Amino acid sequence: MATTITVIPGDGIGPEVTDATLSVLEEAGADLEYDQQLGGVAAVEAVKDPLPEQTLDSIRHTGVALKGPLTTPLGSGFRSINVAIRKEFELFANIRPVVTLVPGQRYEDINLVLIRENTEGLYVGVEHYIGMEGDPRAAAESVMIITRFGAERIVRYAFEYARDNGRKKVTLAHKANILKFTQGLFLEVGESVARDYEGEVEFEARIIDATAMQLVKDPYSLDVLVMENMFGDILSDLMAGLVGGLGVAPAANIGKDVAMFEAVHGSAPDIAGQGLANPSALILAAAMMLDHVGQREVATRVRKGLRETLSDPRTRTPDLGGPATTSEFVDALLENVR
Ligand code: ATP
């Protein structure tokens, strides 16, 4: 029986890259049915609500969502629609594989995975201004929250991921030398979880700034990386840069009951509707989704087709220095996934 998934095309280049992705999934033989739902500005225009209850109900029901980028409308009462969805379904793990698909980048054959904690850290939104001497914004304060529960859950996820995917090493990146309480707790919990995997998966702890340098100097010395929310946000863009940029960077957000797959990039309003968008990131996210729902053969076909299409400079989109429009790229890819 076909698996039903929720599809949210989203804003800006979202509908273009979603159309492209669905046509590739169909050509590759994915056994899926789609429940199309609204979110972001598109949802405000249609039903005056950036995150309609119907969309949330659909995700609750299917447990799997493929999501285009959502723009958070100003004054909507949301800090970020994307963060609101992650919170609603407690999508605690953000998985970002960084794999070379386009030859001729800064490095060849990169194969890394970043696992970012998605619910805690500085992104909990506990912040305020402090007024002094007539200046209501003389100072500002943001609170970083790390819990033993949250740290244990994400580090354990990283080790399980490493073990299930034949990975050798987990690197925990932290700043415990300065943030002794929050980052210190993250490190302490990480070291304790690592002991459960001794002999199976190697463990190392590295200071976050040294990790950033290592990623640029010798990315081959790393494998699976795990870190708290904001460090993960920053390093995942750095890592996307190692393999060609945002156009080829997918992400999975995993919770206990729901998994949501998306591109790392945003809605790119500057290029929307011009046939310039590179749909590869969402297509790679869809391949992760196929793995998740047990259609691994189809996922492999999609990745292989993408690799072939991206290895030909004539069928690359402009963000990768190529001349192809979105539809020319997709036409070439459809040939390669059959
Ligand atoms: P948002 O506010 O939704 O995050 P943004 O434009 O600020 O959108 P991104 O959409 O992440 O940020 O992208 C930054 C720039 O990178 C875009 O303006 C666009 O030029 C380029 N870009 C991002 N994604 C793609 C893509 N899939 N294909 C081609 N170029 C892209």
Side-chain angles (χ1 to χ4, degrees), residues 102-329:
V102 189
Q105 303 299 310
R106 200 164 292 269
Y107 291 100
E108 300 297 335
D109 301 323
I110 297 282
N111 188 352
L112 297 163
V113 183
L114 182 134
I115 297 185
R116 163 187 170 191
E117 205 292 323
N118 231 359
T119 61
E120 302 193 334
L122 275 173
Y123 289 11
V124 289
V126 180
E127 50 185 0
H128 60 250
Y129 291 112
I130 299 164
M132 270 184 281
E133 295 171 1
D135 179 357
R137 297 203 276 171
E141 191 172 57
S142 301
V143 179
M144 175 184 272
I145 308 253
I146 302 282
T147 67
R148 186 177 293 284
F149 171 79
E152 148 120 37
R153 178 167 68 170
I154 195 69
V155 177
R156 196 166 288 287
Y157 187 93
F159 273 98
E160 293 288 320
Y161 180 98
R163 190 163 66 180
D164 292 351
N165 291 278
R167 297 274 180 168
K168 293 199 165 46
K169 183 168 77 172
V170 170
T171 300
L172 180 150
H174 65 89
K175 192 71 184 173
N177 52 331
I178 303 292
L179 301 170
K180 295 191 192 306
F181 288 69
T182 47
Q183 291 293 310
L185 180 60
F186 194 78
L187 174 60
E188 176 198 315
V189 172
E191 285 171 338
S192 146
V193 170
R195 283 194 277 277
D196 293 345
Y197 296 85
E198 253 168 25
E200 282 185 288
V201 181
E202 207 186 307
F203 173 72
E204 69 175 358
R206 264 180 197 273
I207 294 176
I208 184 73
D209 32 326
T211 309
M213 184 178 70
Q214 189 69 10
L215 275 165
V216 174
K217 267 183 80 177
D218 183 13
Y220 306 109
S221 64
L222 296 155
D223 189 354
V224 175
L225 296 97
V226 64
M227 60 201 74
E228 67 86 28
N229 213 337
M230 188 168 74
F231 292 162
D233 192 8
I234 298 169
L235 283 202
S236 62
D237 271 31
L238 183 154
M239 288 164 67
L242 295 174
V243 297
L246 288 175
V248 289
N253 296 279
I254 308 287
K256 195 161 68 60
D257 304 315
V258 167
M260 186 177 78
F261 300 85
E262 63 186 352
V264 169
H265 64 71
S267 60
D270 53 327
I271 57 163
Q274 296 171 40
L276 296 173
N278 180 357
S280 301
L282 193 65
I283 294 169
L284 285 166
M288 295 174 83
M289 180 185 76
L290 288 168
D291 284 338
H292 178 80
V293 301
Q295 298 186 32
R296 285 185 178 264
E297 267 176 44
V298 189
T300 303
R301 204 151 49 240
V302 169
R303 289 195 187 97
K304 196 172 143 283
L306 205 50
R307 188 179 287 276
E308 261 173 64
T309 313
L310 289 171
S311 64
D312 183 346
R314 291 168 306 176
T315 48
R316 289 181 200 151
T317 44
D319 58 305
L320 297 172
T325 62
T326 309
S327 58
E328 286 163 352
F329 172 80

